[in-house]
Amino acid sequence: MEISEAIERFRGPLTGLIVSWGAPIADASELAQDSLADAYMSRKQCVGDVTSPDVFARWLRGFARNKFRNWLRGHQRRKKYVATIASEALEQMSDCEPVSVDPKLQQLREEIDRLPAEQRQVILMHYLEETCVKDVAALIGVTPKAVEGRLYQGRRRLKQRLEQLSDPGIVLRALLL
Amino acid sequence: MSNEVPNQLMPEDDIRAALRIMRPDASEFAAAVHAKLRHLSQRGGDDPSLTRSTLDEPAWLRVAASLLPVQVFGKSIASKGASVAIAQLSFGQKVLAIIALPGVFVLLASLVVIWAFLQLRKSVLRQTGDYIATDQMMQASQRISSMAIGLNFAILAGLLLSYFGGVQIPAAAFFLAPAFVLVIVVSQLANEQLLDRRIVGSFCAVLLGFMGQVLVLMSLTAVGTPLLDQHLLNVIALLGLVVVVVLLKTNAFGRSSQSLQNHRQQVRSNRLVVVFALCGGLLAAAWFGRSYWQPVTTAEMQTYVESFDKAKFGSSSWEDWSIPARWLNAKGVELELERPKRALATSIDQKTFVPSIVNYGIDMGILGPAELSRRFDLDFVKRTVFPKYQTPHTRIGVIEPSIRVLNSVGALNDAERNELGRELDSMLWELKSNRVMTSPIRAARQIVELASEIDRPIDTEKHREWIHEMLGSLQSVESSGRRKGGFVAYPQVAASDHRATNDAVLLMETFGVPESVDLLALRSYLRPALSDRFRGLQPRALVRKATQERLESLPDVPGLSWTDYVRCEHNLIMVSLLVLLCIYATLAAPALTQSPVQTEVNAP
């Protein structure tokens, strides 16, 4: 598998996968770049047929997981010793024009974050870029059917959650009870 | 993703819109990956720690290796590193991987054996009675014997499954089961106040006797990469059996309440058993351990080389002769080669004369220029070299004797040497890309040696990388029921070949030892074997010995350390520990006095 094809095929789902593990998007993107570069450079050591996208996806996932774990260890160490600044504060300090945020989309993003891990993972991988279900499945090592099932459940749960939140009666009943 | 039930599902467009803010910029992303690739390429390309041999190890071993300091594994593999994607295994697999590492496993097994010693001691202290009823002893013996036989069959089945079923279980695991069962048996006997040396000793004897037979099977299957002849395991099991039998029979008599005549008869039969066990056991142990007390020596190699007077299998026998002969020559041993010289003359005079045997005569100096000029038509020989009518790959074998003859008699001028030097260099390059239809290691060795002989040596720096790659790829690391670790003669063949292995070591003399070659496995292939002296000293054994000595003489081959032995000989360690445990259990169990009736003390 050529590097350009690998980038095109796995850029979105890999970034989504790393985000689903808990890395912020900026770090996830960088981790995905590192993983792709390392996996491609070491492809000769892969015991399987690395020209097959399925095999390369599994090979790539191993690198990504190791990279993420290293990042997580470093992140935890940094959190321990360095005073962190909230991202909102950083935005306020920057000179950039404030970006208008659609409250509906913001709410949807929050609900995606609250999804069960498996559903959240496939939602992020599939919809971050329009990635085919087969590539998502190859990257997480499940069947395409399983991915479709998780996407279906995730979308249904999101719909239910947002409907509940938009219905004031439901919110009131929940508060009273 | 289909929208089968659109009202119940969140619209895909909304999800995409929500996640758009997180979408990586495609061009920036690709540029960053390419920049990282360029950076990695400048740093040296592929990860050198991931060599082929480390990747050929079982996954659990590679993971285990990656979790422990590399110094644990010994000097000869310390340089290879042990990178592996640990994250690919689950937590349980990781735990198993660590336990399965030979070094860690031996440590854990040793702890288990120490625990077994303590448990046995505790059980012995629980035995308070001094008498055992005959019928009780009979019953207990029968029960224990059937348990021992069942256990042995279970171990045999496990070993067979592990070895022939392709299941990656360290064989040492099977030596732990008897230790556990021994503890259970002794503890049970102590609970019933039936802990008697005869019963425990019988159990241990059956166990070790059967174990000895299983170990013969293990020695024959040639699985793993041990550094010592695996028949040593049989020797240890046999010696353990002898000790247990001797302990059983020398301490058991004199403690029975039978009549004086019966007692004397018993003593006599016991003495016979002891003598038989000592003689038979020691003889068998000596036979199995022949490769240790009677190793192949330099003197034997010299005798073989000097006394070679008949090539039983033609050029093949000459090649087997030339390998130890060349090594002795390189070591500076003075050789008297009158008999090989006569044998070579006879071989050359035969109608079925194979030209390649001339090489061996020239190598050893038994075919001098005068002899060569007298025997061969030099004009004809020259015509076989310079018209290029042969394909390059088959040509080296054909032209080698001719070039050597011409070089030996001084019939090559500078221009011809230059031409041959270029030709040999191109043949070597050709070998790099096409090694299917030839024996590549042998051809490479022939080309390199021939180029050196005509004083147009090959540029080793230019060819080093691919020669190393070729050697790494042609080392036989697969278990095919035969010894692994040597080099294969042909890429299509899986089994190691002793001549190809010698050729590979000769190439290592010129090009250095490749990192991709597993030296422990290679040493394992070259270890002595019981069959070395089957119907006299075998030429194959001498070839292996000469190759081993040549390998050990290379400057970039590190010596073996004790950790290498721990890594490769965990079966040996486990068998030794088990034998010690059996001897201790027999020795520690009290010899109860046998009484014809059941006493109150012994009543369960």
Side-chain angles (χ1 to χ4, degrees):
Chain A
M1 171 174 269
E2 287 305 311
I3 186 65
S4 319
E5 189 195 344
I7 293 171
E8 201 55 41
R9 203 184 264 260
F10 296 116
R11 179 184 58 232
L14 186 63
T15 310
L17 181 65
I18 299 171
V19 170
S20 76
W21 288 336
I25 182 62
D27 290 343
S29 181
E30 197 163 332
L31 290 172
Q33 292 160 10
D34 286 347
S35 306
L36 268 163
D38 282 1
Y40 186 76
M41 282 303 283
S42 307
R43 66 194 182 285
K44 283 181 195 160
Q45 275 78 45
C46 180
V47 284
D49 176 17
V50 83
T51 54
S52 151
D54 286 356
V55 175
F56 187 79
R58 283 200 295 276
W59 181 245
L60 180 62
R61 186 184 56 196
F63 279 88
R65 198 178 295 180
N66 283 343
K67 294 268 174 209
F68 172 73
R69 286 184 179 174
N70 283 338
W71 171 86
L72 195 62
R73 275 195 287 272
H75 182 68
Q76 282 164 349
R77 267 199 308 275
R78 280 194 299 277
K79 252 172 63 175
K80 203 170 169 184
Y81 297 112
V82 181
T84 51
I85 304 168
S87 55
E88 293 82 7
L90 276 173
E91 278 172 16
Q92 282 174 6
M93 285 157 66
S94 68
D95 298 331
C96 299
E97 286 289 316
V99 181
S100 59
V101 181
D102 183 343
K104 259 181 75 179
L105 294 180
Q106 180 63 30
Q107 199 173 30
L108 181 54
R109 272 199 293 274
E110 285 169 9
E111 286 308 316
I112 290 172
D113 281 345
R114 290 194 190 105
L115 282 174
E118 285 183 345
Q119 293 167 17
R120 179 169 175 264
Q121 189 175 61
V122 291
I123 293 268
L124 285 168
M125 291 173 77
H126 182 65
Y127 291 113
L128 194 62
E129 292 186 359
E130 196 60 39
T131 308
C132 71
V133 169
K134 198 166 166 282
D135 287 346
V136 172
L139 208 51
I140 55 175
V142 297
T143 61
K145 277 278 166 212
V147 174
E148 283 179 3
R150 288 176 194 179
L151 283 172
Y152 176 84
Q153 289 160 9
R155 284 175 63 196
R156 194 171 59 178
R157 187 182 282 258
L158 282 174
K159 180 80 174 175
Q160 286 168 355
R161 289 284 302 158
L162 287 172
E163 275 177 359
Q164 283 172 2
L165 289 173
S166 60
D167 182 351
I170 293 173
V171 176
L172 194 63
R173 275 197 298 277
L175 284 173
L176 287 172
L177 289 171
Chain B
M1 186 68 196
S2 62
N3 280 323
E4 287 173 16
V5 197
N7 291 336
Q8 291 177 11
L9 301 178
M10 176 58 71
E12 290 186 311
D13 288 342
D14 286 359
I15 302 175
R16 280 191 206 104
L19 296 178
R20 190 167 294 131
I21 195 170
M22 297 164 75
R23 190 172 294 171
D25 182 89
S27 54
E28 272 181 25
F29 191 97
V33 174
H34 285 295
K36 284 174 200 295
L37 281 173
R38 273 195 301 277
H39 176 68
L40 284 172
S41 301
Q42 283 163 3
R43 247 179 35 187
D46 293 353
D47 185 354
S49 64
L50 277 169
T51 57
R52 196 182 65 85
S53 60
T54 57
L55 287 158
D56 286 338
E57 300 284 2
W60 55 265
L61 189 58
R62 288 189 288 129
V63 172
S66 68
L67 294 175
L68 286 172
V70 77
Q71 289 78 8
V72 171
F73 309 114
K75 281 185 281 179
S76 54
I77 61 161
S79 60
K80 291 187 171 180
S83 271
V84 72
I86 308 160
Q88 288 171 0
L89 296 189
S90 67
F91 177 75
Q93 285 174 318
K94 280 177 195 165
V95 172
L96 275 177
I98 298 167
I99 293 171
L101 181 80
V104 176
F105 184 83
V106 168
L107 183 70
L108 288 175
S110 306
L111 290 175
V112 169
V113 172
I114 291 169
W115 167 83
F117 270 107
L118 295 174
Q119 289 297 314
L120 288 175
R121 187 172 163 71
K122 211 190 280 182
S123 299
V124 168
L125 291 175
R126 278 213 307 275
Q127 171 73 36
T128 51
D130 292 332
Y131 294 92
I132 183 167
T134 307
D135 57 339
Q136 274 184 325
M137 195 173 87
M138 295 293 286
Q139 283 170 7
S141 294
Q142 277 175 0
R143 204 177 64 214
I144 299 300
S145 298
S146 57
M147 192 189 276
I149 290 166
L151 170 70
N152 284 327
F153 275 111
I155 291 170
L156 180 63
L159 275 171
L160 290 174
L161 183 72
S162 171
Y163 277 16
F164 299 115
V167 184
Q168 293 285 347
I169 305 169
F174 297 108
F175 300 117
L176 280 181
F180 277 110
V181 175
L182 182 62
V183 169
I184 293 167
V185 164
V186 170
S187 172
Q188 203 178 342
L189 287 170
N191 286 343
E192 295 172 18
Q193 293 296 302
L194 294 174
L195 188 57
D196 178 54
R197 184 170 296 172
R198 280 159 293 197
I199 302 174
V200 176
S202 303
F203 176 81
C204 291
V206 173
L207 194 72
L208 290 174
F210 194 86
M211 185 72 74
Q213 292 174 39
V214 170
L215 291 171
V216 172
L217 180 73
M218 278 177 64
S219 316
L220 295 175
T221 51
V223 176
T225 53
L227 297 170
L228 302 172
D229 181 9
Q230 291 302 281
H231 286 94
L232 190 59
L233 275 67
N234 305 117
V235 175
I236 291 170
L238 265 170
L239 291 178
L241 175 64
V242 170
V243 172
V244 168
V245 170
V246 169
L247 282 174
L248 196 61
K249 293 297 175 186
T250 51
N251 290 291
F253 48 83
R255 286 292 211 103
S256 103
S257 58
Q258 55 197 316
S259 69
L260 187 65
Q261 195 182 355
N262 284 347
H263 175 69
R264 280 181 182 161
Q265 221 168 10
Q266 180 79 45
V267 169
R268 270 198 300 273
S269 75
N270 281 348
R271 277 184 187 152
L272 269 175
V273 171
V274 167
V275 170
F276 177 77
L278 278 172
C279 295
L282 292 179
L283 273 175
W287 190 80
F288 279 122
R290 262 192 315 175
S291 59
Y292 293 96
W293 60 264
Q294 205 182 358
V296 178
T297 60
T298 304
E300 279 180 313
M301 217 186 289
Q302 185 175 356
T303 308
Y304 168 75
V305 169
E306 290 180 344
S307 63
F308 188 85
D309 55 3
K310 191 181 177 192
K312 202 173 170 185
F313 301 107
S315 62
S316 170
S317 294
W318 276 111
E319 191 173 356
D320 282 348
W321 171 82
S322 78
I323 291 170
R326 281 183 65 175
W327 172 238
L328 289 175
N329 212 16
K331 275 170 80 175
V333 176
E334 289 285 332
L335 294 170
E336 171 56 51
L337 298 174
E338 201 50 45
R339 290 172 78 177
K341 192 175 177 178
R342 281 202 298 273
L344 189 65
T346 311
S347 295
I348 292 174
D349 288 337
Q350 283 173 357
K351 283 181 183 172
T352 53
F353 155 62
V354 179
S356 66
I357 62 172
V358 173
N359 297 328
Y360 313 127
I362 295 172
D363 275 340
M364 296 307 298
I366 56 179
L367 275 180
E371 176 82 2
L372 290 168
S373 304
R374 188 177 64 79
R375 281 187 171 275
F376 300 109
D377 176 356
L378 296 179
D379 288 336
F380 174 77
V381 172
K382 210 161 195 172
R383 283 202 299 277
T384 63
V385 177
F386 289 102
K388 298 173 186 174
Y389 59 84
Q390 294 275 8
T391 56
H393 292 131
T394 54
R395 210 176 157 214
I396 182 63
V398 176
I399 64 169
E400 189 190 15
S402 303
I403 297 175
R404 288 195 143 182
V405 168
L406 293 173
N407 186 59
S408 296
V409 300
L412 288 174
N413 58 37
D414 275 354
E416 287 166 340
R417 283 171 197 274
N418 290 340
E419 187 186 337
L420 281 175
R422 282 194 299 275
E423 178 71 6
L424 289 171
D425 193 55
S426 66
M427 284 162 91
L428 199 56
W429 280 121
E430 188 71 22
L431 205 59
K432 181 187 174 188
S433 55
N434 186 358
R435 47 183 97 136
V436 177
M437 296 302 289
T438 185
S439 170
I441 296 179
R442 182 193 175 91
R445 193 265 300 163
Q446 285 173 315
I447 291 169
V448 169
E449 286 184 351
L450 200 53
S452 178
E453 201 166 308
I454 61 167
D455 203 22
R456 297 294 181 272
I458 294 289
D459 184 347
T460 50
E461 288 306 318
K462 266 198 324 188
H463 293 276
R464 190 188 307 277
E465 194 180 335
W466 78 263
I467 290 273
H468 278 190
E469 179 272 317
M470 178 184 74
L471 289 176
S473 68
L474 293 176
Q475 189 180 19
S476 168
V477 287
E478 286 171 18
S479 178
S480 55
R482 300 174 73 177
R483 280 185 181 210
K484 61 179 179 177
F487 290 83
V488 296
Y490 298 93
Q492 304 90 334
V493 180
S496 305
D497 177 79
H498 61 293
R499 294 176 198 135
T501 304
N502 183 68
D503 287 333
V505 174
L506 282 166
L507 280 177
M508 287 183 210
E509 271 189 344
T510 308
F511 293 97
V513 179
E515 278 200 1
S516 53
V517 167
D518 185 343
L519 284 176
L520 282 181
L522 180 53
R523 280 165 157 150
S524 174
Y525 174 74
L526 296 171
R527 72 185 187 272
L530 182 65
S531 57
D532 285 352
R533 290 181 188 278
F534 185 69
R535 291 184 181 175
L537 188 55
Q538 295 292 308
R540 182 185 289 255
L542 292 161
V543 170
R544 278 211 307 269
K545 176 73 177 168
T547 309
Q548 187 190 31
E549 287 189 4
R550 195 182 281 277
L551 176 73
E552 299 299 342
S553 74
L554 299 182
D556 41 357
V557 171
L560 284 169
S561 66
W562 65 270
T563 46
D564 288 329
Y565 283 99
V566 168
R567 182 172 186 263
C568 298
E569 300 296 346
H570 46 279
N571 289 349
L572 184 73
I573 295 168
M574 282 311 302
V575 170
S576 308
L577 289 172
L578 186 64
V579 165
L580 285 177
L581 199 64
C582 284
I583 293 172
Y584 174 75
T586 311
L587 203 58
L592 302 181
T593 303
Q594 200 175 329
S595 67
V597 289
Q598 192 171 329
T599 60
E600 280 181 17
V601 177
N602 287 331

